[in-house]
Amino acid sequence: MRAAVYDHTGPAREVLRVVDIERPEPGPGEVRVRVHVSGVNPTDVKARSGQVPRPIDEFQIPHQDGAGEIDAVGEGVDEKRVGQRVWVWFAAAGRRWGTAAEWTVVPDDQAVLLPPTASDELGAMLGVPAMTAHRCLWVDEPPDGQTVLVAGGAGAVGHFAVELAKWTGARVVATAGGPDQIARARAAGADPVVDYRAPDVLEQIQAFAPLVDRVVEVALSANLQLDLALSGPNTRIVTYSSPEPEVTIRVRDCMNHNVDMRFVLLYGVPRPALRAAVRTITVALTELVLTELPVHRFTLDQIAEAHEAVEKGISGKVLVYLQ
Protein backbone atom coordinates (compact mmCIF):
# COMPACT_ATOMS: atom_id res chain seq x y z
CA MET A 1 0.00 0.00 0.00
CA ARG A 2 1.01 3.64 -0.34
CA ALA A 3 1.56 5.44 2.92
CA ALA A 4 3.11 8.60 4.30
CA VAL A 5 5.77 7.78 6.88
CA TYR A 6 8.50 9.35 8.98
CA ASP A 7 11.21 7.65 11.03
CA HIS A 8 12.46 10.74 12.87
CA THR A 9 10.91 14.08 13.73
CA GLY A 10 11.46 17.44 12.09
CA PRO A 11 10.04 19.80 9.43
CA ALA A 12 7.38 18.26 7.21
CA ARG A 13 9.31 18.52 3.95
CA GLU A 14 12.41 16.99 5.53
CA VAL A 15 10.95 13.97 7.31
CA LEU A 16 7.71 12.99 5.56
CA ARG A 17 7.93 10.67 2.56
CA VAL A 18 5.42 8.59 0.62
CA VAL A 19 6.45 4.96 0.24
CA ASP A 20 5.10 1.54 -0.71
CA ILE A 21 4.92 -0.73 2.33
CA GLU A 22 3.23 -4.01 3.17
CA ARG A 23 -0.46 -3.70 3.90
CA PRO A 24 -1.19 -4.48 7.58
CA GLU A 25 -3.32 -7.42 8.66
CA PRO A 26 -5.77 -7.14 11.57
CA GLY A 27 -4.86 -9.03 14.72
CA PRO A 28 -7.25 -10.37 17.37
CA GLY A 29 -9.88 -7.77 18.23
CA GLU A 30 -8.84 -5.50 15.35
CA VAL A 31 -10.32 -4.37 12.05
CA ARG A 32 -8.65 -3.18 8.89
CA VAL A 33 -10.04 -0.04 7.30
CA ARG A 34 -9.50 1.02 3.71
CA VAL A 35 -9.03 4.74 4.27
CA HIS A 36 -10.92 7.13 2.02
CA VAL A 37 -10.13 10.40 3.82
CA SER A 38 -7.58 11.22 6.53
CA GLY A 39 -8.05 14.20 8.86
CA VAL A 40 -5.06 16.28 9.93
CA ASN A 41 -5.05 17.80 13.42
CA PRO A 42 -2.57 20.03 15.25
CA THR A 43 -1.65 17.04 17.42
CA ASP A 44 -0.47 15.20 14.30
CA VAL A 45 1.89 17.96 13.19
CA LYS A 46 3.19 18.44 16.75
CA ALA A 47 4.08 14.75 16.94
CA ARG A 48 5.79 14.79 13.53
CA SER A 49 7.70 18.00 14.23
CA GLY A 50 8.97 16.76 17.59
CA GLN A 51 7.22 19.55 19.49
CA VAL A 52 5.37 16.84 21.40
CA PRO A 53 7.64 13.83 20.79
CA ARG A 54 6.26 10.31 20.88
CA PRO A 55 8.11 7.00 20.51
CA ILE A 56 8.55 5.76 16.92
CA ASP A 57 8.41 2.00 16.31
CA GLU A 58 10.73 1.78 13.25
CA PHE A 59 8.42 4.10 11.30
CA GLN A 60 5.29 6.13 11.95
CA ILE A 61 2.31 6.70 9.67
CA PRO A 62 0.77 9.95 10.92
CA HIS A 63 -2.81 11.04 11.68
CA GLN A 64 -5.26 9.86 14.31
CA ASP A 65 -8.54 10.45 12.43
CA GLY A 66 -10.06 9.24 9.21
CA ALA A 67 -13.01 7.64 7.46
CA GLY A 68 -13.30 4.63 5.20
CA GLU A 69 -14.63 1.10 4.95
CA ILE A 70 -13.80 -2.04 6.90
CA ASP A 71 -12.46 -4.70 4.55
CA ALA A 72 -11.09 -7.31 6.98
CA VAL A 73 -11.52 -8.28 10.63
CA GLY A 74 -9.32 -10.12 13.09
CA GLU A 75 -10.12 -13.02 15.38
CA GLY A 76 -13.02 -12.33 17.72
CA VAL A 77 -14.56 -9.56 15.62
CA ASP A 78 -17.98 -10.03 14.01
CA GLU A 79 -17.46 -10.69 10.30
CA LYS A 80 -20.62 -8.68 9.61
CA ARG A 81 -18.47 -5.59 10.16
CA VAL A 82 -16.84 -6.12 6.76
CA GLY A 83 -18.24 -3.52 4.37
CA GLN A 84 -19.25 -1.02 7.08
CA ARG A 85 -18.48 2.65 6.54
CA VAL A 86 -16.70 3.92 9.65
CA TRP A 87 -14.95 6.86 11.24
CA VAL A 88 -11.67 6.10 12.97
CA TRP A 89 -10.17 7.62 16.12
CA PHE A 90 -6.72 7.27 17.79
CA ALA A 91 -5.33 5.27 14.86
CA ALA A 92 -1.77 6.42 15.61
CA ALA A 93 -1.99 6.52 19.42
CA GLY A 94 0.77 4.15 20.53
CA ARG A 95 0.59 2.45 17.13
CA ARG A 96 2.40 2.87 13.81
CA TRP A 97 -0.69 2.57 11.57
CA GLY A 98 -2.06 6.11 11.31
CA THR A 99 -4.64 7.06 8.69
CA ALA A 100 -2.27 8.74 6.19
CA ALA A 101 -2.21 5.49 4.23
CA GLU A 102 -4.45 3.46 1.97
CA TRP A 103 -5.19 1.08 4.87
CA THR A 104 -5.03 1.28 8.65
CA VAL A 105 -5.59 -1.27 11.42
CA VAL A 106 -7.25 -0.28 14.69
CA PRO A 107 -8.98 -1.96 17.63
CA ASP A 108 -12.57 -2.85 16.82
CA ASP A 109 -14.11 -0.12 18.99
CA GLN A 110 -11.99 2.58 17.32
CA ALA A 111 -13.77 2.08 14.00
CA VAL A 112 -17.24 3.52 14.57
CA LEU A 113 -20.21 3.05 12.27
CA LEU A 114 -20.78 6.10 10.09
CA PRO A 115 -24.48 6.78 9.36
CA PRO A 116 -25.43 6.91 5.66
CA THR A 117 -26.35 10.59 6.09
CA ALA A 118 -22.77 11.46 7.12
CA SER A 119 -20.10 12.03 4.48
CA ASP A 120 -16.58 10.62 4.59
CA GLU A 121 -15.40 14.20 5.03
CA LEU A 122 -17.46 14.67 8.19
CA GLY A 123 -16.31 11.28 9.47
CA ALA A 124 -12.67 12.27 9.04
CA MET A 125 -13.29 15.51 10.98
CA LEU A 126 -14.53 13.79 14.14
CA GLY A 127 -12.06 11.90 16.31
CA VAL A 128 -9.79 14.31 18.14
CA PRO A 129 -11.87 17.52 17.66
CA ALA A 130 -15.35 16.17 18.43
CA MET A 131 -14.16 13.93 21.27
CA THR A 132 -12.21 16.82 22.80
CA ALA A 133 -15.32 19.00 22.55
CA HIS A 134 -17.35 16.29 24.27
CA ARG A 135 -14.86 15.98 27.13
CA CYS A 136 -14.74 19.74 27.65
CA LEU A 137 -18.54 19.89 27.81
CA TRP A 138 -19.32 16.69 29.74
CA VAL A 139 -16.47 16.50 32.26
CA ASP A 140 -17.99 16.38 35.77
CA GLU A 141 -21.55 16.87 34.47
CA PRO A 142 -23.44 17.29 31.19
CA PRO A 143 -24.00 20.82 29.86
CA ASP A 144 -27.79 20.51 29.67
CA GLY A 145 -29.36 23.88 30.37
CA GLN A 146 -26.06 25.59 31.18
CA THR A 147 -24.70 28.81 29.76
CA VAL A 148 -21.54 27.95 27.85
CA LEU A 149 -18.82 30.20 26.44
CA VAL A 150 -16.94 28.58 23.56
CA ALA A 151 -13.70 30.42 22.84
CA GLY A 152 -12.71 30.02 19.20
CA GLY A 153 -16.13 28.87 18.06
CA ALA A 154 -15.06 28.60 14.41
CA GLY A 155 -12.18 26.16 15.05
CA ALA A 156 -12.65 22.41 14.82
CA VAL A 157 -13.10 21.76 18.55
CA GLY A 158 -15.09 24.97 18.98
CA HIS A 159 -17.36 24.12 16.04
CA PHE A 160 -18.34 20.76 17.50
CA ALA A 161 -18.55 22.21 21.02
CA VAL A 162 -21.11 24.78 19.85
CA GLU A 163 -23.17 22.14 18.03
CA LEU A 164 -23.08 19.60 20.87
CA ALA A 165 -23.85 22.19 23.56
CA LYS A 166 -26.81 23.62 21.66
CA TRP A 167 -28.10 20.08 21.08
CA THR A 168 -28.29 19.53 24.84
CA GLY A 169 -30.29 22.73 25.32
CA ALA A 170 -27.43 24.90 26.55
CA ARG A 171 -27.28 28.63 25.89
CA VAL A 172 -24.09 29.22 23.92
CA VAL A 173 -22.03 32.34 23.35
CA ALA A 174 -18.94 31.99 21.16
CA THR A 175 -15.98 34.13 20.26
CA ALA A 176 -14.35 34.23 16.85
CA GLY A 177 -12.18 36.55 14.77
CA GLY A 178 -13.27 38.14 11.50
CA PRO A 179 -16.51 38.03 9.50
CA ASP A 180 -16.06 34.55 8.00
CA GLN A 181 -15.31 32.88 11.31
CA ILE A 182 -18.07 34.78 13.07
CA ALA A 183 -20.53 33.62 10.40
CA ARG A 184 -19.31 30.04 10.78
CA ALA A 185 -19.76 30.03 14.56
CA ARG A 186 -23.20 31.57 14.15
CA ALA A 187 -24.15 28.90 11.59
CA ALA A 188 -23.09 26.21 14.08
CA GLY A 189 -25.77 27.56 16.43
CA ALA A 190 -24.09 29.99 18.82
CA ASP A 191 -26.66 32.45 20.16
CA PRO A 192 -24.44 35.53 19.93
CA VAL A 193 -20.93 35.44 18.44
CA VAL A 194 -18.53 38.12 19.62
CA ASP A 195 -15.35 39.22 17.86
CA TYR A 196 -12.65 38.43 20.42
CA ARG A 197 -10.62 41.40 19.15
CA ALA A 198 -13.35 43.91 20.02
CA PRO A 199 -12.38 46.32 22.85
CA ASP A 200 -15.74 45.69 24.55
CA VAL A 201 -15.73 41.89 24.21
CA LEU A 202 -16.53 41.43 27.93
CA GLU A 203 -19.46 43.84 27.82
CA GLN A 204 -20.87 42.17 24.71
CA ILE A 205 -20.76 38.74 26.33
CA GLN A 206 -22.23 40.04 29.60
CA ALA A 207 -25.15 41.56 27.69
CA PHE A 208 -26.06 37.94 26.90
CA ALA A 209 -24.98 36.40 30.21
CA PRO A 210 -23.39 38.22 33.18
CA LEU A 211 -21.83 34.90 34.23
CA VAL A 212 -21.33 31.60 32.43
CA ASP A 213 -21.44 28.06 33.80
CA ARG A 214 -18.72 26.63 31.58
CA VAL A 215 -15.92 27.90 29.37
CA VAL A 216 -14.49 25.73 26.60
CA GLU A 217 -11.12 27.43 26.30
CA VAL A 218 -8.70 27.27 23.35
CA ALA A 219 -6.35 30.07 24.44
CA LEU A 220 -5.99 30.15 28.23
CA SER A 221 -2.91 32.40 28.28
CA ALA A 222 -4.76 35.05 26.25
CA ASN A 223 -8.23 34.69 27.74
CA LEU A 224 -7.84 33.88 31.44
CA GLN A 225 -8.78 37.34 32.70
CA LEU A 226 -11.84 37.45 30.44
CA ASP A 227 -12.85 33.99 31.64
CA LEU A 228 -12.49 34.99 35.30
CA ALA A 229 -14.58 38.11 34.74
CA LEU A 230 -17.39 35.83 33.52
CA SER A 231 -16.96 33.27 36.31
CA GLY A 232 -18.85 32.60 39.51
CA PRO A 233 -19.01 29.79 42.09
CA ASN A 234 -20.57 27.37 39.58
CA THR A 235 -18.22 28.11 36.68
CA ARG A 236 -15.81 25.57 35.21
CA ILE A 237 -13.06 26.77 32.89
CA VAL A 238 -12.07 23.76 30.81
CA THR A 239 -8.89 24.27 28.78
CA TYR A 240 -7.65 22.12 25.90
CA SER A 241 -5.04 24.50 24.45
CA SER A 242 -3.01 27.61 25.12
CA PRO A 243 -0.80 29.69 22.80
CA GLU A 244 1.76 30.10 25.60
CA PRO A 245 2.99 27.05 27.53
CA GLU A 246 3.06 28.92 30.84
CA VAL A 247 0.24 30.96 32.37
CA THR A 248 0.51 33.12 35.48
CA ILE A 249 -2.49 32.56 37.72
CA ARG A 250 -3.26 35.01 40.50
CA VAL A 251 -4.53 32.66 43.17
CA ARG A 252 -6.64 35.29 44.93
CA ASP A 253 -8.45 36.12 41.68
CA CYS A 254 -9.42 32.49 41.24
CA MET A 255 -10.42 32.23 44.89
CA ASN A 256 -12.55 35.37 44.65
CA HIS A 257 -14.56 33.77 41.85
CA ASN A 258 -14.55 30.29 43.46
CA VAL A 259 -13.82 29.01 39.96
CA ASP A 260 -13.03 25.42 38.99
CA MET A 261 -10.32 24.91 36.37
CA ARG A 262 -9.99 21.69 34.38
CA PHE A 263 -7.46 20.70 31.76
CA VAL A 264 -8.09 18.27 28.92
CA LEU A 265 -5.64 16.24 26.85
CA LEU A 266 -7.54 13.53 25.03
CA TYR A 267 -4.74 10.95 25.23
CA GLY A 268 -5.04 10.89 29.02
CA VAL A 269 -8.83 10.74 29.23
CA PRO A 270 -10.03 7.46 30.81
CA ARG A 271 -11.23 4.87 28.33
CA PRO A 272 -14.82 4.80 29.66
CA ALA A 273 -15.09 8.55 29.05
CA LEU A 274 -13.78 8.13 25.51
CA ARG A 275 -16.38 5.44 24.85
CA ALA A 276 -19.07 7.75 26.26
CA ALA A 277 -17.91 10.43 23.82
CA VAL A 278 -18.18 7.99 20.92
CA ARG A 279 -21.73 7.04 21.95
CA THR A 280 -22.82 10.68 22.20
CA ILE A 281 -21.21 11.61 18.89
CA THR A 282 -22.90 8.63 17.23
CA VAL A 283 -26.33 9.76 18.41
CA ALA A 284 -25.58 13.34 17.36
CA LEU A 285 -24.59 12.12 13.88
CA THR A 286 -27.79 10.11 13.61
CA GLU A 287 -29.82 13.17 14.57
CA LEU A 288 -27.94 15.31 12.01
CA VAL A 289 -26.55 17.61 14.71
CA LEU A 290 -22.93 17.69 13.53
CA THR A 291 -21.87 19.42 10.33
CA GLU A 292 -18.74 19.76 8.23
CA LEU A 293 -16.17 22.51 8.48
CA PRO A 294 -14.85 24.07 5.25
CA VAL A 295 -12.52 21.56 3.58
CA HIS A 296 -8.99 22.05 2.29
CA ARG A 297 -8.19 19.07 0.04
CA PHE A 298 -4.78 17.47 -0.37
CA THR A 299 -3.58 14.24 -1.96
CA LEU A 300 -1.22 11.81 -0.24
CA ASP A 301 1.63 13.14 -2.38
CA GLN A 302 0.88 16.59 -0.90
CA ILE A 303 1.23 15.36 2.69
CA ALA A 304 3.95 17.91 3.55
CA GLU A 305 1.82 20.77 2.21
CA ALA A 306 -1.13 19.49 4.26
CA HIS A 307 0.95 19.57 7.46
CA GLU A 308 2.26 23.03 6.64
CA ALA A 309 -1.30 24.29 6.14
CA VAL A 310 -2.22 23.13 9.65
CA GLU A 311 0.94 24.68 11.09
CA LYS A 312 0.03 28.00 9.48
CA GLY A 313 -3.38 27.90 11.20
CA ILE A 314 -5.48 27.65 8.05
CA SER A 315 -9.17 28.17 8.80
CA GLY A 316 -11.30 25.09 8.21
CA LYS A 317 -10.27 21.45 8.10
CA VAL A 318 -7.31 19.93 6.25
CA LEU A 319 -8.13 16.54 4.71
CA VAL A 320 -5.91 14.12 2.79
CA TYR A 321 -7.70 11.97 0.21
CA LEU A 322 -6.51 8.38 -0.25
CA GLN A 323 -9.11 6.98 -2.66
Side-chain angles (χ1 to χ4, degrees), residues 179-309:
D180 290 345
Q181 294 195 15
I182 288 172
R184 189 181 309 157
R186 187 173 290 120
D191 296 301
V193 184
V194 178
D195 191 328
Y196 65 81
R197 299 168 300 186
D200 62 341
V201 58
L202 174 61
E203 290 76 11
Q204 288 190 55
I205 295 172
Q206 287 182 324
F208 174 74
L211 299 176
V212 300
D213 299 302
R214 186 175 301 253
V215 181
V216 179
E217 184 54 77
V218 67
L220 184 67
S221 60
N223 295 335
L224 177 58
Q225 293 309 310
L226 173 67
D227 296 342
L228 288 175
L230 294 163
S231 296
N234 297 315
T235 302
R236 288 185 177 88
I237 301 172
V238 188
T239 299
Y240 66 92
S241 185
S242 177
E244 298 297 331
E246 296 183 3
V247 179
T248 299
I249 296 177
R250 294 175 61 86
V251 175
R252 189 69 186 186
D253 288 347
C254 296
M255 291 171 61
N256 286 342
H257 294 277
N258 280 269
V259 69
D260 287 344
M261 298 187 70
R262 299 295 300 264
F263 297 85
V264 170
L265 180 63
L266 205 59
Y267 302 105
V269 171
R271 196 77 179 185
L274 294 176
R275 294 194 183 103
V278 168
R279 290 193 297 270
T280 300
I281 291 166
T282 297
V283 176
L285 282 171
T286 303
E287 297 188 11
L288 306 180
V289 170
L290 304 179
T291 62
E292 295 178 20
L293 289 149
V295 173
H296 302 278
R297 295 170 172 259
F298 294 84
T299 66
L300 187 61
D301 289 322
Q302 297 172 314
I303 186 72
E305 292 94 324
H307 276 227
E308 289 170 348

Side-chain angles (χ1 to χ4, degrees), residues 12-252:
R13 291 178 187 267
E14 295 181 14
V15 303
L16 284 170
R17 52 200 173 91
V18 177
V19 299
D20 289 312
I21 61 174
E22 187 173 351
R23 184 176 63 182
E25 297 296 329
E30 295 180 335
V31 299
R32 186 175 67 201
V33 177
R34 187 175 186 186
V35 181
H36 297 164
V37 186
S38 176
V40 192
N41 294 298
T43 185
D44 301 314
V45 301
K46 290 175 182 177
R48 183 267 308 148
S49 71
Q51 182 180 347
V52 183
R54 298 192 179 97
I56 299 175
D57 178 18
E58 186 179 351
F59 65 86
Q60 181 66 56
I61 300 173
H63 305 177
Q64 304 289 353
D65 300 340
E69 181 178 317
I70 294 175
D71 75 344
V73 300
E75 180 183 351
V77 179
D78 190 344
E79 293 186 359
K80 293 180 181 178
R81 296 220 66 190
V82 173
Q84 287 184 351
R85 291 178 65 242
V86 293
W87 60 277
V88 171
W89 56 280
F90 270 19
R95 304 166 64 88
R96 62 168 60 163
W97 306 108
T99 63
E102 292 177 315
W103 278 270
T104 187
V105 167
V106 294
D108 180 33
D109 67 342
Q110 289 175 215
V112 186
L113 188 65
L114 194 59
T117 51
S119 66
D120 286 342
E121 285 80 3
L122 179 55
M125 294 178 188
L126 300 172
V128 170
M131 294 173 73
T132 297
H134 180 277
R135 180 64 173 176
C136 289
L137 289 168
W138 266 263
V139 65
D140 299 320
E141 62 183 9
D144 312 33
Q146 293 185 345
T147 299
V148 178
L149 167 62
V150 178
V157 174
H159 173 81
F160 292 124
V162 170
E163 292 185 330
L164 288 170
K166 285 294 293 185
W167 178 50
T168 69
R171 302 173 70 233
V172 180
V173 54
T175 60
D180 290 345
Q181 294 195 15
I182 288 172
R184 189 181 309 157
R186 187 173 290 120
D191 296 301
V193 184
V194 178
D195 191 328
Y196 65 81
R197 299 168 300 186
D200 62 341
V201 58
L202 174 61
E203 290 76 11
Q204 288 190 55
I205 295 172
Q206 287 182 324
F208 174 74
L211 299 176
V212 300
D213 299 302
R214 186 175 301 253
V215 181
V216 179
E217 184 54 77
V218 67
L220 184 67
S221 60
N223 295 335
L224 177 58
Q225 293 309 310
L226 173 67
D227 296 342
L228 288 175
L230 294 163
S231 296
N234 297 315
T235 302
R236 288 185 177 88
I237 301 172
V238 188
T239 299
Y240 66 92
S241 185
S242 177
E244 298 297 331
E246 296 183 3
V247 179
T248 299
I249 296 177
R250 294 175 61 86
V251 175
R252 189 69 186 186

Side-chain angles (χ1 to χ4, degrees), residues 305-317:
E305 292 94 324
H307 276 227
E308 289 170 348
V310 173
E311 289 172 323
K312 291 174 182 175
I314 194 169
S315 181
K317 189 67 180 178

